[in-house]
Amino acid sequence: MVDAEADDIPAAEPTHVGSRRAMVYLGLCLVLIGLNLRTVFSSFSAVLPEVTSDAGLPGWAVVVLTTVPVTLLGVFAPLAPVLARRFGAERVLLGAMAVLTAGLLLRPAEIPGIGHLPALFAGTAACGAAIALCNVLLPGLVKRDFPHRLGLMGGLYTTAICASAALGAGFTYPIFSAAGQWTSALWFWAVPAAVVLLLFLPVAARQRHGQHTAVRDGVSVWRSAVAWQVTIFMVLQAMMSFSVFAWLAPILRERGVDGGTAGLIVSVSIVLQMLGSLFAPALAARFRDQRAINTVVALMTGGGFALSIFGPLELVWVWTGLLGLGQGSLTAVALTMIMLRTRDGHTAAHLSGMMQGVGYGVGSTGTLLVGQLHQATGSFAAAGLLFLAVGLLAAVFGYRAGRNRYIGG
């Protein structure tokens, strides 16, 4: 992930805390923020048939609602360093959590005489913008405030982000079943976001922020062939990753799996993503180059996605398990390329910004294409063929990005 304060002169000061207990409290807040950053995606897909039927959503609206939040991750990512330099990273992160909470509250609302669609659009867009800022700010705060616990804290907050997707997928449909309304199931996810907002408020409120300027030096990643190979690898994995969050549950339900079981299958698949993301980076770093592991995990992901659509339903746990292990490993090794293909922190931060902006912005076309193909053909079969092709392309660019070279020579 991009470090929002990598170019600040003078360097941003660590978050002011008065004791070891306060430092633990800060770490807990950052992890809990991470635990709210993917429920937006997985909760909506878990009750998508119910939302579509009850709210009378046209096909194009479903496509937009599954695509917009991912697109905004790339659109708003470059804004985070500017805001952090102006107001301080802690306060911007607090503001982003406030916007996320408001978006989650707005999303299921019904406007008399108009219906659900305007609130769904506005709430979803607000959530996407807020998550984009959090995606950028969290890694920088972890790196700045926990330099001696970077491995532990980095692992905790990235695991929390994966866990948030699993929670949204696994619990939204049971909440819907208990409440009898999809609006209640979506409103529920505003509760943990509001709790974290209140917990983080005293930390952000007491921070002092000085004047900072941005100084950029070093290699231009935008002119590097290596950087573009790594970035395209990131784009292709993002196309598959966010399509899993948006469409795997509807795919399973269209194949005849009931809503509760579909949510559980997606949750288990995401838990396996967490396992892949824990072990793949260490394995990748042990090799002189990463061509083999990049190729294998890309093929696992594309193949697992296609088999979840075409494979025998009796083995659906196997196909989605393969998809989960592949996807978690693929995401992790794509991000690991940031460190393995750069020689210094500034170049790494700029490559991360390039990957995040282009990766999420272009990667959102995956969810868009799946929705359009389903709308045009009436099934997910074409999407299965699409992700076989995307998986193959990811293997090609992963192979090229995995060669032992550095940006700038």
Side-chain angles (χ1 to χ4, degrees):
M1 297 294 182
V2 61
D3 182 352
E5 299 170 321
D7 294 313
D8 280 10
I9 300 295
E13 295 181 359
T15 303
H16 176 72
V17 292
S19 64
R20 181 179 177 85
R21 180 177 296 179
M23 181 62 75
V24 172
Y25 182 84
L26 170 63
L28 176 64
C29 286
L30 297 182
V31 171
L32 290 176
I33 289 171
L35 203 57
N36 283 272
L37 297 187
R38 294 296 180 269
T39 55
V40 169
F41 305 100
S42 56
S43 61
F44 183 73
S45 67
V47 289
L48 181 58
E50 288 74 22
V51 177
T52 303
S53 173
D54 184 64
L57 298 183
W60 65 265
V62 174
V63 174
V64 171
L65 287 168
T66 53
T67 304
V68 163
V70 187
T71 304
L72 292 180
L73 296 185
V75 171
F76 278 85
L79 187 61
V82 178
L83 293 174
R85 201 170 294 120
R86 177 72 173 83
F87 300 105
E90 296 88 355
R91 293 180 182 178
V92 178
L93 189 59
L94 179 71
M97 286 304 299
V99 173
L100 177 61
T101 304
L104 290 167
L105 287 170
L106 175 62
R107 186 169 61 154
E110 183 177 10
I111 301 174
I114 301 178
H116 286 281
L117 194 56
L120 278 168
F121 281 145
T124 300
C127 290
I131 293 169
L133 298 179
C134 293
N135 277 347
V136 175
L137 294 169
L138 262 182
L141 284 173
V142 168
K143 180 180 177 181
R144 188 188 71 191
D145 294 333
F146 299 90
H148 302 300
R149 295 289 186 272
L150 196 56
L152 173 64
M153 282 300 300
L156 285 174
Y157 95 82
T158 52
T159 301
I161 291 174
C162 289
S164 71
L167 291 172
F171 285 96
T172 303
Y173 193 85
I175 295 170
F176 161 73
S177 297
Q181 295 181 321
W182 64 266
T183 52
S184 299
L186 294 186
W187 263 320
F188 172 82
W189 298 106
V191 175
V195 169
V196 177
L197 173 64
L198 294 175
L199 289 174
F200 193 60
L201 177 60
V203 176
R206 64 171 172 257
Q207 299 308 310
R208 298 182 299 272
H209 181 65
Q211 294 296 315
H212 298 271
T213 58
V215 176
R216 299 183 180 275
D217 55 14
V219 177
S220 172
V221 294
W222 297 93
R223 299 176 182 176
S224 167
V226 177
W228 277 108
Q229 288 162 9
V230 172
T231 298
I232 295 173
F233 184 43
M234 178 70 172
V235 166
L236 295 166
Q237 80 80 23
M239 288 181 70
M240 292 188 282
S241 178
F242 284 97
S243 294
V244 169
F245 292 150
W247 293 109
L248 182 56
I251 286 169
L252 296 175
R253 295 187 67 178
E254 187 172 280
R255 296 200 66 188
V257 179
D258 68 88
T261 303
L264 181 60
I265 291 172
V266 176
S267 292
V268 172
S269 180
I270 294 170
V271 169
L272 290 174
Q273 283 190 32
M274 294 163 62
L275 290 177
S277 67
L278 286 174
F279 293 107
L283 182 62
R286 290 178 64 90
F287 294 108
R288 188 169 181 271
D289 66 49
Q290 292 72 41
R291 287 177 291 184
I293 189 170
N294 287 358
T295 302
V296 169
V297 297
L299 294 176
M300 283 176 61
T301 306
F305 207 146
L307 286 167
S308 297
I309 297 172
F310 298 124
L313 193 59
E314 306 82 51
L315 298 176
V316 68
W317 288 92
V318 176
W319 313 139
T320 55
L322 178 68
L323 172 60
L325 282 173
Q327 185 63 65
S329 302
L330 178 61
T331 303
V333 295
L335 292 172
T336 303
M337 292 297 102
I338 296 171
M339 299 304 169
L340 297 179
R341 294 295 166 264
T342 57
R343 297 184 185 274
D344 58 79
H346 279 271
T347 306
H350 295 160
L351 175 61
S352 182
M354 176 182 177
M355 287 175 63
Q356 189 156 288
V358 178
Y360 290 144
V362 181
S364 65
T365 59
T367 59
L368 175 66
L369 288 171
V370 173
Q372 288 183 323
L373 288 170
H374 184 265
Q375 190 176 353
T377 64
S379 79
F380 287 106
L385 297 175
L386 168 68
F387 283 105
L388 278 176
V390 172
L392 287 170
L393 282 173
V396 171
F397 281 95
Y399 184 90
R400 294 182 65 81
R403 290 178 292 178
N404 185 25
R405 299 173 300 160
Y406 291 97
I407 294 172

